[in-house]
Amino acid sequence: MNLRIFENIVELARAAARTIGQREHASVAISGGSTPKPLYELLGRDLRDDDPITWVLVDERYVPKTDPQSNAAMIERTLFAKGVPPTHRWLHFDTSLNDPAATAAEFEAQWDIDQLDIVLLGVGDDGHTASLFPGTAVLDIEDRVASEVFVPRLDQWRVTLTRPVIRAAKLRIVLAAGESKATIIDEVRRGVPHPIAMVTEGVETWWFVTG
Ligand code: 6PG
């Protein structure tokens, strides 16, 4: 496991921003959750018109953008606090359609990316990543870019990039902060087939964690 341990979330965010800057990053998929917020604030400070990026949302909770749970809204408050630069593209899930399957299909219709350069992922205490939760059928999808998924544990619909699309990216960076993630990381290292392991095993993945 390619693991880098940082003192705190600020150091982790700085290192992740540097890594993104140094790698090819014409297309970057970005996750929701709380861990990446400092990174997005950092990246948002110097988005440049002459460095155009297609930003892709990894997954979305099926709530209106006005809901505090909305991943797109969190990203628009942080990464795009100064707006989406005109040369950049922001591909996300339109939950205003009020139909998770239609939202996933519309997202797929807009998809024209051969291979993502970088995917930023989080990991949940149950081993989920993106909205690929343990035991959900969406984990088995091989022939779609995105899909709707009902997550019984949360009693919530979500829309998410699929496992093959995340695996096909040139690089995955998993951001994990806090004690509660240590157990999962240890289990992944020992070969437990959590969803995060299913999307990262055998493909280039860097783990950025706080100690
Ligand atoms: C989401 C996600 C999800 C997230 C993990 C980790 O919409 O919730 O994209 O996969 O990355 O749950 O979340 P934290 O960073 O908040 O721990």
Side-chain angles (χ1 to χ4, degrees), residues 80-157:
F80 301 131
K82 294 194 283 187
V84 181
T87 57
H88 290 232
R89 184 173 172 217
W90 171 217
L91 182 56
H92 56 289
F93 296 96
D94 180 5
T95 56
S96 73
L97 299 181
N98 231 356
D99 175 344
T103 296
E106 191 219 43
F107 179 95
E108 287 183 299
Q110 294 179 63
W111 180 267
D112 58 0
I113 301 167
D114 284 340
Q115 182 185 30
L116 287 162
D117 290 314
I118 299 173
V119 182
L120 297 176
L121 295 168
V123 57
D125 298 350
D126 59 355
H128 82 263
T129 191
S131 283
L132 305 171
F133 284 79
T136 55
V138 71
L139 273 164
D140 302 323
I141 294 179
E142 293 290 348
D143 57 354
R144 293 193 64 183
V145 169
S147 173
E148 69 283 6
V149 53
F150 183 73
V151 185
R153 204 193 109 185
L154 305 172
D155 192 24
Q156 183 180 57
W157 279 95

Side-chain angles (χ1 to χ4, degrees), residues 34-129:
S34 55
T35 313
K37 283 184 195 170
L39 169 62
Y40 298 158
E41 280 163 3
L42 208 56
L43 292 172
R45 283 188 215 148
D46 39 49
L47 294 180
R48 297 196 333 249
D49 268 340
D50 61 354
D51 184 18
I53 299 171
T54 295
W55 302 95
V56 176
L57 187 57
V58 167
D59 69 316
E60 182 61 283
R61 297 101 181 250
Y62 213 82
V63 295
K65 246 194 189 172
T66 48
D67 189 296
Q69 287 191 72
S70 166
N71 283 337
M74 179 277 281
I75 287 162
E76 288 170 12
R77 281 194 306 270
T78 53
L79 181 65
F80 301 131
K82 294 194 283 187
V84 181
T87 57
H88 290 232
R89 184 173 172 217
W90 171 217
L91 182 56
H92 56 289
F93 296 96
D94 180 5
T95 56
S96 73
L97 299 181
N98 231 356
D99 175 344
T103 296
E106 191 219 43
F107 179 95
E108 287 183 299
Q110 294 179 63
W111 180 267
D112 58 0
I113 301 167
D114 284 340
Q115 182 185 30
L116 287 162
D117 290 314
I118 299 173
V119 182
L120 297 176
L121 295 168
V123 57
D125 298 350
D126 59 355
H128 82 263
T129 191

Side-chain angles (χ1 to χ4, degrees), residues 152-173:
R153 204 193 109 185
L154 305 172
D155 192 24
Q156 183 180 57
W157 279 95
R158 293 201 172 194
V159 274
T160 185
L161 291 183
T162 57
R163 181 170 67 121
V165 170
I166 299 173
R167 285 187 62 81
K170 289 183 190 148
L171 172 68
R172 284 137 294 280
I173 304 175

